[in-house]
Amino acid sequence: MIKNAFSAIISKEENKENKGSVEFQVVSFTNKIRRLTSHLELHKKDYLSQRGLRKILGKRQRLLAYLSKKNRVRYKELIGRLDIRETKTR
């Protein structure tokens, strides 16, 4: 149950931050993405959950793009903390 331990660590960090901040939103979207991904591994034909996952991925991608433009240091720190890869820029 590594996932539960990870989400417990993240939730402790979430309570310290402002709930409207970009970092908080990205962390909550990342938790939802991980939960939906594990759900879709069991239920491959759950197309509504697949659609929801794609929508959440798009929202997180837009928030990360905004954060990378506004404050590159906070962006790098968040990417490293959540262990998600950096999006490619053109």
Side-chain angles (χ1 to χ4, degrees):
M1 290 295 155
I2 296 170
K3 183 182 79 166
N4 291 339
F6 177 78
S7 61
I9 292 169
I10 296 297
S11 64
K12 288 179 186 175
E13 294 175 6
E14 288 174 354
N15 292 333
K16 296 177 186 174
E17 295 182 30
N18 184 8
K19 295 201 184 259
S21 68
V22 176
E23 288 91 350
F24 178 83
Q25 292 179 42
V26 170
V27 168
S28 65
F29 285 146
T30 302
N31 286 336
K32 286 181 185 179
I33 288 168
R34 289 188 173 138
R35 200 169 349 112
L36 275 173
T37 303
S38 65
H39 168 78
L40 287 171
E41 288 173 357
L42 294 174
H43 308 283
K44 296 184 187 323
K45 293 190 177 185
D46 189 355
Y47 299 116
L48 289 177
S49 293
Q50 288 178 12
R51 180 176 185 265
L53 177 63
R54 285 193 299 269
K55 289 182 77 161
I56 293 172
L57 283 168
K59 286 181 185 179
R60 185 179 75 174
Q61 184 178 7
R62 286 191 300 274
L63 280 171
L64 286 172
Y66 168 78
L67 186 61
S68 70
K69 288 177 188 172
K70 291 294 180 184
N71 193 338
R72 193 72 175 172
V73 174
R74 284 174 38 196
Y75 170 76
K76 290 283 190 181
E77 180 182 311
L78 184 64
I79 292 290
R81 192 176 72 181
L82 292 177
D83 194 33
I84 54 179
R85 63 184 173 152
E86 185 174 348
T87 56
K88 295 181 180 177
T89 56
R90 294 180 190 204

